[in-house]
Amino acid sequence: MSGDANHFALPTLRFLTCGSVDDGKSTLIGRLLYEQKSIFDDQMSALERDSKKHGTVGDDIDFALLVDGLEAEREQGITIDVAYRYFSTKKRAFVVADTPGHEQFTRNMATGASNADLAILLVDARKGLLPQTRRHAFIVSLLGIRDVVLAVNKIDLVGHDPHVFSSIVKDFETFAERLNFRSVTPIPVSARYGDNLSEPSQAMPWYTGPTLVGFLETVEVRDRRADGPFRLPVQWVNRPNLDFRGYAGTVAGGRVSPGDEVAVSASGRTTRVLRVIASGHDVEAAEAGDAVTLTLADEIDIARGDLLADPKARPPVADQFAAHVIWMSEERLLPGRSYLMKIAEKLVPVTVTDLKHRIDINSLEHNAAKTLGLNEIGFCNFATSAPIAFDPYGKNRDTGAFILIDRATNATAAAGLVDFALRRATNIHLQDLAVTKAARAALKHQKPAILWFTGLSGAGKSTVANVVETKLHARGVHTVMLDGDNVRHGLNKDLGFTDADRVENIRRVGEVAKLMVEAGTVALCSFISPFAAERRMVRELVEPGEFVEVFVDAPIESCIARDPKGLYKRALAGEIRNFTGIDQPYERPEHAEVVLAAGEATPEALADQVIAALEERGIIQRF
Amino acid sequence: MPGRLSAHLRRLESEAIHIMREVVAEFRKPVMLYSIGKDSTAMLHVAQKAFFPAVPPFPLLHVDTTWKFREMIAFRDDAAKRAGMELIVHVNQDGVRRGISPVASGSSVHTQVMKTEGLRQALDQHGFDAAFGGARRDEEKSRAKERVFSHRSEAHAWDPRNQRPELWHLYNTRIRQGESMRVFPLSNWTEFDVWDYIQAEDIPVVPLYFAKERPVVRRDGALIMVDDERLPLKSGETPEMRRVRFRTLGCYPLTGAVDSDADTLDAVLAEMRDSTTSERQGRLIDSDEAGSMEKKKREGYF
């Protein structure tokens, strides 16, 4: 434990190391920790033991083993995750994010970069720039890191040759012209032997620049957020008693003092700050990075997720915007599917309305794409279900960054960076309608609803739906039928059966069904609709209670046996691809309002179950 | 006054406060694991600031192995009282009935039954869906890769290969029914930061951290304090009075003391600056084998 982080002139430097596999990242960090005496005797003896067992450098100490923490990666000899390391020199404290070089783990590199001030890009002197180096440089640039060190490692293995070094530097500078770096500092190093890490290398008299540690100790990467306009995403409302109502959160931009005017972004209302509480005390001022609690002069409606801002420099408020996304999930991005977006403290349903292009991170070219897979980067238009306040990521990382969460698995599916609003929400006014849904329904003496029949092909959805509609019609209920096959002959005849097209198919049908509900009718929809996410999307288009999910649950064997359209036969023969139940999954509904055990009862009996459920829910009158 | 904290500590404190508020805003029933040590003590202090003027809106939980130093237990009860928070003490009664102890059962069985299983019992029994822990990433290799919000399955298991990426300060707090989250607000603090914070904020800590004459025996190279009559002395062992202190606190038969004259915070900090061993060296449970912490964590150890 050298150094005392609390008396340094410069703030703690957070940096990440990245580069291709075997470029020596872990060795570099292990060596830095070793040289800065951040490795204790007991850790050192554990390292010597481990080096004999797992090491890859003969009898020498394998510094990489210090940082390759988890058992699995030690056995495979790779780093599979982000590891955070802490060390300090006499001048400065450091937090290092060690990130993996394998392509499939690019998401972890973006994770490490998201909180870093600076990046060290490692290049193996023998190999020069690799595709992976370019990818990482691009991600680092995309995530807003402006200063990079190009560490040309293993320089000892090319005889400390200055020409090898300068040619790699030239290659990188040419590539980096298209990126958004403020500074690139090239340093030739040998992580294994410590050349140019803390001490200038005797073997490279031709190199007169700083050592790596010397550079890191002095580089200034000022956090400019405090200079920007005031931003406070409200995280939690503190109401211990009737006399105190405080809005707690971490200042994301600018400064705040008692007496300042602030605006609530969503409503536009303004008020004045009474007290600023930080670290458990009243303070005169707080700035970006401080966790605070504010009390305000007026009682106005403010909740978690609202953004308090400088009224003279308000953030854009929009429900449609363009953003870059880094896809981090095995499940592909599907335009039209509903995800949860978390931006600042706001959680809101969102869909990708248009995938503009995918970025080839080797050539930086823009390519047309229908979906994004794991580790792919795209540029998309988004639509949120409610307007949100934000800043472009380039202006403020805290109010311009978001994550997407998969609604079925809760996995973090993507990281996003907002570029700009597509149109201001304040400009879109929904047309106020003189005749309401309730008025239209009242004229028909009925309650509108969507009856959503889902299940495998051949389960009997359309058959049961037809009987239900006949029964409803006989009772004088105004109905309309949207059937999967029929819709594909008209409205959706441009769509196929890929995951992306299936999502769009359901989105359109959902919107049509919603219009039918607006018209006061009962819309019966019969669609395989294999994905839970899309069924939920339709459910959320209408009011609670208006969506009735009917799961026609037939075992796949009986569907294959029944095979009314001969489709299973062809799918099993490989003539039809993307067939649900055969080579595409069907996600069973977990909370359907009605579950019909198909195959055991007649369509007539199944339809009666649906009618009974509708009576029970008050959608139709009991006779 | 807040001005006392350096910019470095202020940033760490703000980050920890942000994490705690996120949990309170998003989870149904959080709890704070309170292990009585310096990290827990710093964490509790941050929590009081995070929710000021309210009292932190969650209880404290101590999983008592029944082998803690007596001074720890006294300190624990005082600390909860000072904070005005509810303190839940859980003992794995099944383990007690089975006679599990670090002396009779060995360190790894004792830790598994009394700490890991005890913790799981307490979390299940009270239905907590989020639990704060004072662990820091600089403590141990597998900790270095753990998330701030660490997802646990219904069986409390940790899957290091399937962790959610954690970007910026955007924490994905979504869980399913029965699942839970372990949350580590001090993830980015170092041992040094914790002590510095304790000094700057003048926070009381268990006196065991300061040097004093204490009865100890030397066992497997470690100095073990004879805290009560339950520690059976091996032949040739006689307790001797030595001036010692502890860098880390656990079950007393499993925690090694170090020779020291540091009897004030200043002296402790000065000693640490010159230290050449890590704090976990005093923990006998980690040295069983490499990767032992990771194994324990997968099974639900904090």
Side-chain angles (χ1 to χ4, degrees):
Chain A
M1 283 282 149
S2 60
D4 179 344
N6 296 298
H7 305 290
F8 296 136
L10 285 170
T12 301
L13 184 74
R14 293 183 178 223
F15 66 91
L16 85 155
T17 53
C18 41
S20 200
V21 179
D22 296 332
D23 282 348
K25 293 176 304 298
S26 296
T27 306
L28 177 79
I29 296 172
R31 184 94 202 188
L32 284 176
L33 295 176
Y34 170 74
E35 291 193 356
Q36 302 312 326
K37 312 270 184 297
S38 292
I39 298 177
F40 295 114
D41 292 351
D42 52 317
Q43 291 171 332
M44 200 64 203
S45 49
L47 175 63
E48 281 166 15
R49 262 200 324 270
D50 286 356
S51 290
K52 291 204 178 87
K53 193 166 158 197
H54 302 287
T56 55
V57 293
D59 287 338
D60 289 349
I61 289 168
D62 188 348
F63 290 104
L65 292 177
L66 263 179
V67 291
D68 288 348
L70 303 182
E71 280 179 83
E73 59 197 334
R74 234 180 301 163
E75 277 150 25
Q76 292 167 24
I78 54 162
T79 309
I80 55 167
D81 210 335
V82 189
Y84 294 92
R85 297 283 153 193
Y86 306 82
F87 73 97
S88 50
T89 66
K90 290 202 163 29
K91 292 186 179 156
R92 197 173 205 175
F94 300 93
V95 181
V96 194
D98 180 21
T99 61
H102 272 52
E103 184 167 10
Q104 62 267 42
F105 297 114
T106 296
R107 65 173 206 169
N108 292 326
M109 214 215 79
T111 304
S114 74
N115 284 319
D117 309 309
L118 173 143
I120 299 179
L121 286 166
L122 268 112
V123 177
D124 185 329
R126 297 168 302 173
K127 296 178 191 159
L129 295 197
L130 294 172
Q132 195 61 258
T133 324
R134 295 196 178 89
R135 285 178 201 141
H136 289 168
F138 172 67
I139 294 168
V140 160
S141 166
L142 181 69
L143 281 148
I145 293 177
R146 295 283 161 264
D147 301 285
V148 296
V149 173
L150 183 72
V152 179
N153 191 24
K154 307 195 185 180
I155 195 81
D156 52 302
L157 296 180
V158 294
H160 304 99
D161 185 346
H163 301 294
V164 173
F165 176 67
S166 61
S167 117
I168 290 173
V169 171
K170 213 171 136 234
D171 281 356
F172 186 79
E173 283 173 348
T174 309
F175 172 72
E177 271 169 20
R178 288 181 286 172
L179 302 176
N180 199 12
F181 294 134
R182 177 169 51 202
S183 75
V184 174
T185 308
I187 304 177
V189 299
S190 164
R192 190 170 162 195
Y193 298 105
D195 289 78
N196 283 335
L197 293 191
S198 309
E199 298 293 328
S201 168
Q202 300 300 316
M204 287 174 277
W206 49 267
Y207 175 74
T208 53
T211 61
L212 181 62
V213 170
F215 177 75
L216 296 176
E217 280 180 332
T218 52
V219 62
E220 201 170 325
V221 281
R222 218 155 67 82
D223 184 351
R224 285 167 209 281
R225 286 178 311 169
D227 301 338
F230 172 66
R231 300 285 185 260
L232 179 74
V234 175
Q235 194 179 10
W236 183 67
V237 181
N238 191 355
R239 263 173 69 190
N241 55 56
L242 292 175
D243 301 328
F244 187 90
R245 177 193 287 258
Y247 301 97
T250 304
V251 180
R255 299 182 169 81
V256 64
S257 293
D260 287 357
E261 289 274 328
V262 293
V264 186
S265 291
S267 65
R269 293 202 51 185
T270 61
T271 180
R272 210 163 28 79
V273 175
L274 288 182
R275 295 171 65 189
V276 179
I277 297 167
S279 199
H281 310 271
D282 275 82
V283 294
E284 287 306 307
E287 63 173 40
D290 292 337
V292 299
T293 302
L294 304 186
T295 64
L296 304 174
D298 303 290
E299 276 213 7
I300 52 180
D301 187 25
I302 302 173
R304 172 171 164 86
D306 281 335
L307 186 63
L308 303 183
D310 178 350
K312 293 188 203 69
R314 298 182 192 218
V317 177
D319 62 356
Q320 295 197 28
F321 55 88
H324 280 88
V325 287
I326 302 163
W327 201 252
M328 299 187 155
S329 164
E330 303 277 352
E331 291 251 348
R332 302 180 72 82
L333 163 78
L334 297 177
R337 170 167 286 187
S338 176
Y339 298 93
L340 288 176
M341 182 173 91
K342 187 166 186 183
I343 178 163
E345 298 303 333
K346 184 111 182 157
L347 191 71
V348 63
V350 68
T351 52
V352 172
T353 51
D354 191 10
L355 175 51
K356 309 292 275 186
H357 58 252
R358 177 164 57 210
I359 298 174
D360 179 325
I361 47 182
N362 298 315
S363 64
L364 304 189
E365 277 167 10
H366 298 173
N367 299 325
K370 289 205 148 176
T371 73
L372 290 179
L374 181 62
N375 292 315
E376 291 185 333
I377 296 173
F379 184 63
C380 313
N381 289 350
F382 283 87
T384 49
S385 67
I388 52 160
F390 59 84
D391 289 296
Y393 184 81
K395 287 198 176 156
N396 191 321
R397 276 201 209 186
D398 287 340
T399 49
F402 62 89
I403 55 172
L404 296 181
I405 299 170
D406 185 305
R407 303 186 69 165
T409 64
N410 288 331
T412 302
L417 311 97
V418 179
D419 286 273
F420 49 84
L422 288 169
R423 55 176 190 192
R424 291 191 177 248
T426 42
N427 298 341
I428 349 165
H429 296 285
L430 285 172
Q431 186 64 43
D432 239 346
L433 301 174
V435 178
T436 63
K437 172 169 71 177
R440 292 188 204 104
L443 197 64
K444 298 186 176 75
H445 304 288
Q446 67 182 50
K447 282 193 176 172
I450 296 175
L451 306 187
W452 190 271
F453 293 82
T454 174
L456 293 168
S457 177
K461 295 180 299 298
S462 299
T463 312
V464 177
N466 267 318
V467 181
V468 171
E469 190 178 24
T470 308
K471 287 175 184 280
L472 289 174
H473 188 79
R475 292 184 180 211
V477 177
H478 295 249
T479 58
V480 66
M481 172 73 81
L482 293 169
D483 183 85
D485 290 341
N486 297 354
V487 166
R488 282 184 178 278
H489 281 111
L491 177 67
N492 291 349
K493 72 174 168 193
D494 56 326
L495 299 177
F497 292 89
T498 62
D499 283 2
D501 280 358
R502 282 182 188 275
V503 170
E504 176 61 13
N505 182 43
I506 298 305
R507 190 193 68 79
R508 290 186 198 172
V509 169
E511 290 290 346
V512 172
K514 181 190 175 191
L515 288 173
M516 296 299 168
V517 167
E518 298 279 342
T521 58
V522 172
L524 296 92
C525 306
S526 169
F527 293 85
I528 297 171
S529 48
F531 306 129
E534 280 65 59
R535 296 193 298 262
R536 179 164 42 210
M537 177 176 74
V538 180
R539 180 185 290 271
E540 287 171 1
L541 286 174
V542 292
E543 284 170 41
E546 287 181 345
F547 183 88
V548 179
E549 190 169 16
V550 181
F551 177 26
V552 185
D553 187 8
I556 179 99
E557 298 74 27
S558 78
C559 295
I560 293 173
R562 196 168 157 249
D563 204 8
K565 298 168 199 157
L567 294 174
Y568 281 101
K569 206 167 143 199
R570 292 177 56 202
L572 288 167
E575 290 170 32
I576 308 177
R577 306 221 5 227
N578 300 326
F579 197 80
T580 303
I582 304 298
D583 60 345
Q584 215 174 32
Y586 177 80
E587 297 168 11
R588 294 170 63 86
E590 284 174 16
H591 307 289
E593 277 78 5
V594 185
V595 179
L596 302 178
E600 292 169 22
T602 61
E604 184 73 18
L606 295 172
D608 282 337
Q609 286 183 41
V610 177
I611 295 289
L614 295 178
E615 286 175 346
E616 204 173 295
R617 287 167 187 277
I619 291 170
I620 55 173
Q621 301 285 320
R622 276 179 217 276
F623 274 131
Chain B
M1 297 305 101
R4 283 181 314 195
L5 289 182
S6 66
H8 175 75
L9 286 181
R10 211 169 73 203
R11 192 49 38 93
L12 289 173
E13 185 191 67
S14 281
E15 184 183 67
I17 287 175
H18 182 85
I19 292 160
M20 291 178 182
R21 288 172 173 171
E22 198 65 12
V23 168
V24 165
E26 294 270 321
F27 289 85
R28 191 176 38 77
K29 198 173 177 190
V31 66
M32 178 168 278
L33 267 286
Y34 181 66
S35 71
I36 318 167
K38 62 186 187 308
D39 303 307
S40 280
T41 300
M43 177 168 68
L44 173 57
H45 186 80
V46 174
Q48 290 174 268
K49 290 186 168 200
F51 303 100
F52 176 85
V55 172
F58 41 77
L60 298 171
L61 170 65
H62 180 230
V63 178
D64 191 349
T65 62
T66 73
W67 286 86
K68 298 295 172 191
F69 293 89
R70 284 171 298 172
E71 282 177 86
M72 290 173 73
I73 300 302
F75 184 87
R76 172 193 75 191
D77 297 344
D78 276 355
K81 210 174 290 166
R82 275 197 304 274
M85 293 165 72
E86 182 196 353
L87 170 70
I88 299 169
V89 176
H90 181 87
V91 176
N92 182 350
Q93 294 300 344
D94 177 54
V96 171
R97 270 192 297 276
R98 283 157 59 197
I100 302 292
S101 86
V103 177
S105 328
S107 74
S108 79
V109 170
H110 171 73
T111 306
Q112 168 69 24
V113 174
M114 298 307 288
K115 281 181 93 168
T116 309
E117 285 176 19
L119 173 63
R120 291 202 306 228
Q121 284 171 355
L123 295 178
D124 285 342
Q125 197 175 315
H126 295 273
F128 295 121
D129 56 350
F132 292 108
R136 311 183 320 267
R137 285 180 180 145
D138 79 326
E139 272 177 64
E140 202 269 341
K141 274 193 278 195
S142 75
R143 295 260 195 231
K145 303 193 173 190
E146 181 144 348
R147 301 293 187 257
V148 174
F149 281 72
S150 186
H151 179 257
R152 298 301 154 102
S153 70
E154 235 169 307
H156 301 284
W158 180 61
D159 180 0
R161 276 196 169 271
N162 196 19
Q163 298 195 83
R164 294 173 180 175
E166 211 159 60
L167 294 105
W168 300 287
H169 301 289
L170 290 171
Y171 302 108
N172 178 352
T173 56
R174 314 267 308 167
I175 52 169
R176 287 183 222 216
Q177 189 73 33
E179 296 175 342
S180 62
M181 204 69 95
R182 305 278 173 95
V183 185
F184 305 103
L186 308 188
S187 283
N188 287 321
W189 298 42
T190 62
E191 184 187 13
F192 207 93
D193 294 329
V194 170
W195 279 118
D196 241 341
Y197 185 74
I198 285 169
Q199 186 183 42
E201 293 283 310
D202 200 13
I203 308 168
V205 291
V206 185
L208 292 160
Y209 285 116
F210 302 114
K212 200 181 134 182
E213 295 277 326
R214 295 187 169 96
V216 293
V217 292
R218 187 174 286 283
R219 193 174 277 184
D220 302 332
L223 293 173
I224 301 299
M225 180 169 157
V226 186
D227 195 48
D228 59 32
E229 67 298 334
R230 289 182 296 172
L231 186 75
L233 296 178
K234 295 175 183 165
S235 68
E237 279 182 348
T238 23
E240 51 171 326
M241 293 303 283
R242 285 176 83 112
R243 202 165 163 74
V244 294
R245 69 177 202 89
F246 294 85
R247 282 183 71 182
T248 176
L249 295 175
C251 295
Y252 82 79
L254 301 176
T255 309
V258 289
D259 286 314
S260 170
D261 282 321
D263 53 4
T264 63
L265 263 178
D266 283 336
V268 166
L269 280 160
E271 191 183 271
M272 281 187 43
R273 281 190 196 98
D274 303 329
S275 171
T276 57
T277 54
S278 82
E279 61 186 315
R280 294 210 80 86
Q281 192 207 18
R283 293 284 184 111
L284 305 186
I285 62 169
D286 288 350
S287 49
D288 301 352
E289 59 184 295
S292 67
M293 176 67 97
E294 186 188 339
K295 278 206 188 93
K296 286 194 207 47
K297 275 157 59 64
R298 281 188 192 169
E299 292 159 3
Y301 182 76
F302 226 81

